[in-house]
Structure formats: C-alpha cells, structure tokens
Amino acid sequence: MPLATAPFSTAILQWFDQHGRKHLPWQQNKTPYRVWISEIMLQQTQVSTVIPYFERFMQRFPDLPTLAASNTDDVLHQWAGLGYYSRARNLHRAAQMVMQTFDGHFPDNLEAMQTLPGIGRSTAGAILSIAFEQRATILDGNVKRVLARYLSITDPVNERSVEKSLWETATTLTPPTRSADYTQAIMDLGATLCTRTKPQCTSCPLVTTCKGHAEGIAELLPRKKATREIPTHIATFLILRAEQSILLEKRPPHGIWGGLWSLPEISGTPNKKLIHELCEQQLHLNIKSFTALKSFRHTFSHYHLEIHPVMVPTQLPAKIMADTDQIWYNPNQPAAIGLPKPVQLIMRNLP
C-alpha cells in the first residue's frame, strides 16, 4: 500500500479533534518537565493507572529542581506500586543530570535528550513533539499496533528489520504541522480504538484505508516472535515483628525492586533450618516459632514470583548494625520509603 501521508494524518487529526483525550493532567499547564514525567510513567502502564500517581508525584516534586534535590527513598516512595522501578531511579538521575549538565534546562533536541537515563528514541520523540512542538517521530506499542494493522504487516514487529521499517514509515507519516496533536492522536487511537483485543474498527478514522481490516486480519496483528514460557521462582518472605515494628532491608540499587525496602528473603519454600540460620546469623535472634501465612503470586515481565510470607514473632527490636541497610518499620506510622507492591499487600493483611 503506497503511503498517503496527508490523508493518514488528516484522518487521525480530524478524529482527535472530536474524540481525542485533551484533559489529562499532564496536558494542563504543559511544561517539558510535566510531559517528561508523564511519558516515563506511561511506559508499559495504562493512562487510568498513571493519573493518580502523576498527580501525587507533581504535588511532591512540582518542578525539576525539587526532584533533583530529593533523595532516592523519597522518589521511590512516591513511585511505589507503579512498577518497573528503574524508571523512578532513572528519573531521579536524569533530573540531577539536567541540573548539572544542562544548567537546569531540559534539552530540546533528540541527541541530547537521549543522553538522559531512561529516555529512548520514542520517548524523546514524544517529549519533543508534545512539549516543544517539534516534528518528531514516536513508535511506542500503540503506534506499532496501528501501523502493523494499517499496512497489514504480518512479519513479527519485534524483528530488527521490521522495526527499522516501522520507524521509517512512522517518520514518513508524521505531518510537518500540529506535531503535538498528531502524537497524542495516534497514541489515543491505539489506546482507545485500535486496542490489542477487540479493536473497534468500524469507529476508526482509518477503516476505509486499513489493509489489515480489509483482509479481515486486523485483530491478529501485530505478530511477535514466540517467546519462551516465563519461569516461576519461589521465595520465603520473613515478617520479623517486634511489637508494632517490622524489619525491612534495603535491596541493592539495581535489579528487581532496586533501592526499595523489602522483607528479609530466603529462596524456596519455608525451611525451618534456613529461617533459624538467617535470624541467628544476621540479627542474633533466637526464634522459637514461626507461622506460615497464605502464599500468593506476583508476576514480573520475565518471571513469576511465588511468595510465601512467614510470621516470625520476636522480642524487643534487635539492635541493627550501623553498616547494614535495615530498619524497623511501623506500618501504623509509615516512613516515606519505597515499598514493593507485594510487601504493601503483606503489610495490609497482617493478622
């Protein structure tokens, strides 16, 4: 199908003028900072989920200098529950880099913007078009889906050659004017009509020229290379409680839940010997008993985690060594620290 740039963008923009989303929080009082925060939060996360997080984040960090001057625990605390925590750590690092390297001014060109942690080509394109009104290309999951269906691309979209072709197509179709509206429009189209399942083709402004719809295969697209079944890992989480306080440990800065505060963890299902060894060697606690609580599953992008919470009552809080990343945390008087969603769930359901 030959690309008709003007009809494609015109149809999408006309639809956007009537049906597009124009009252999202980050579309109000629009600044590069607010657009940047929203675009990072929207990576792999739905708009409805992001809205309350964005509003709370803006209340706590209303501008870039405030975010840059904050500590990582505070940033992760505001992010807790939104997932993909490397995004929050990258936001914090990028804010500090803008203050130090760019004199507090958010960069307004593609190359400089991509030097900031957490900003790739598509996110940079979205920020440039929405915040700076520049003609810039995006290719997020929504746009890939729209283009794969519109052009009936049956090859896997996660193959390098196909993605390269999609970038070229997306660039060609991006109009020279109304860049911010077009970027929002094509994202909205993928999020509200050209959805992953049950696309509303009859309401789509591209229905008369969509090759995938004409061939009756729109719902089958886009295709991806088969991925292997994700594995399941098993872990025992120790709830060491003394009076109203629970022992938490800070996780390493990288990896799953990097920089967040979590419960002491043992690989595998509850094991009396290992639990006793951990308590004695790390906390110098002689525990007498423990109670297994209901296990549950938490899913990451690349594996399932089967969590077995174990309640371990102790006496008065043991003294914590100065060189350890451990704290006694009172859920009734919570400190401003980042907690993984499963740990929040365990805290809420403590007997």
Side-chain angles (χ1 to χ4, degrees):
M1 178 185 291
L3 294 178
T5 304
F8 181 91
S9 60
T10 298
I12 291 178
L13 285 167
Q14 288 176 344
W15 170 83
F16 176 75
D17 289 339
Q18 292 188 347
H19 306 289
R21 296 179 289 194
K22 306 178 186 68
H23 303 289
L24 298 171
W26 44 89
Q27 294 173 322
Q28 317 309 312
N29 305 314
K30 189 163 61 175
T31 65
Y33 174 72
R34 289 171 63 85
V35 172
W36 167 50
I37 299 298
S38 70
E39 287 300 320
I40 299 300
M41 286 187 168
L42 287 165
Q43 291 172 352
Q44 299 176 290
T45 309
Q46 294 182 345
V47 167
S48 58
T49 301
V50 165
I51 288 175
Y53 281 93
F54 177 84
E55 291 175 334
R56 288 194 296 269
F57 202 90
M58 286 296 112
Q59 288 177 358
R60 177 62 188 86
F61 309 111
D63 52 39
L64 199 147
T66 304
L67 176 59
S70 65
N71 63 64
T72 305
D73 274 341
D74 200 359
V75 176
L76 290 171
H77 174 65
Q78 297 299 322
W79 198 274
L82 196 55
Y84 299 99
Y85 293 95
S86 61
R87 296 182 295 174
R89 297 192 299 274
N90 285 334
L91 272 180
H92 191 212
R93 288 169 51 218
Q96 294 172 332
M97 186 172 172
V98 171
M99 296 301 296
Q100 296 166 4
T101 307
F102 297 101
D103 198 27
H105 300 289
F106 205 88
D108 62 355
N109 67 82
L110 189 67
E111 292 74 20
M113 199 177 292
Q114 287 185 92
T115 66
L116 297 177
I119 298 184
R121 182 178 176 184
S122 185
T123 299
I127 298 169
L128 285 171
S129 61
I130 296 173
F132 295 100
E133 292 284 352
Q134 296 183 23
R135 183 182 184 271
T137 305
I138 67 166
L139 191 67
D140 68 355
N142 285 322
V143 177
K144 284 183 180 180
R145 186 164 58 253
V146 170
L147 296 182
R149 289 171 174 171
Y150 185 72
L151 299 173
S152 187
I153 297 173
T154 57
D155 292 327
V157 294
N158 53 347
E159 287 186 350
R160 183 172 298 181
S161 60
V162 177
E163 183 160 348
K164 181 181 178 182
S165 176
L166 283 170
W167 270 111
E168 293 170 353
T169 300
T171 301
T172 300
L173 292 174
T174 301
T177 59
R178 294 191 67 185
S179 180
D181 286 347
Y182 174 79
T183 294
Q184 188 64 56
I186 195 167
M187 290 191 295
D188 280 3
L189 185 68
T192 62
L193 294 183
C194 196
T195 49
R196 279 182 287 183
T197 60
K198 299 180 180 178
Q200 300 175 51
C201 294
T202 56
S203 300
C204 179
L206 302 173
V207 64
T208 58
T209 53
C210 177
K211 191 174 181 182
H213 175 70
E215 295 173 358
I217 60 172
E219 194 166 1
L220 302 177
L221 303 174
R223 290 178 175 147
K224 292 186 177 182
K225 289 188 291 187
T227 56
R228 62 184 179 85
E229 184 178 348
I230 64 176
T232 298
H233 298 172
I234 302 173
T236 296
F237 280 21
L238 303 186
I239 309 166
L240 290 153
R241 185 158 71 175
E243 296 182 343
Q244 299 300 314
S245 296
I246 295 169
L247 185 77
L248 296 180
E249 297 181 335
K250 193 169 191 177
R251 296 181 67 90
H254 303 290
I256 296 300
W257 298 334
L260 273 67
W261 292 86
S262 189
L263 296 164
E265 183 179 327
I266 296 173
S267 179
T269 55
N271 180 291
K272 183 177 180 179
K273 181 175 181 291
L274 293 178
I275 292 173
H276 276 270
E277 286 179 355
L278 184 145
C279 292
E280 291 174 2
Q281 294 174 9
Q282 294 189 20
L283 298 173
H284 308 292
L285 290 174
N286 292 312
I287 63 170
K288 296 181 179 180
S289 64
F290 62 85
T291 303
L293 305 181
K294 186 177 181 180
S295 63
F296 62 97
R297 171 179 283 192
H298 182 77
T299 297
F300 297 100
S301 59
H302 54 295
Y303 71 88
H304 302 296
L305 180 61
E306 185 180 301
I307 298 172
H308 293 260
V310 172
M311 178 69 73
V312 186
T314 69
Q315 300 301 315
L316 291 175
K319 184 178 180 180
I320 294 173
M321 301 299 291
D323 61 346
T324 62
D325 285 329
Q326 296 175 329
I327 60 171
W328 286 100
Y329 177 87
N330 187 343
N332 299 318
Q333 299 175 344
I337 60 174
L339 299 174
K341 198 167 186 177
V343 174
Q344 294 181 39
L345 181 64
I346 290 171
M347 297 279 195
R348 286 198 299 267
N349 293 295
L350 285 177

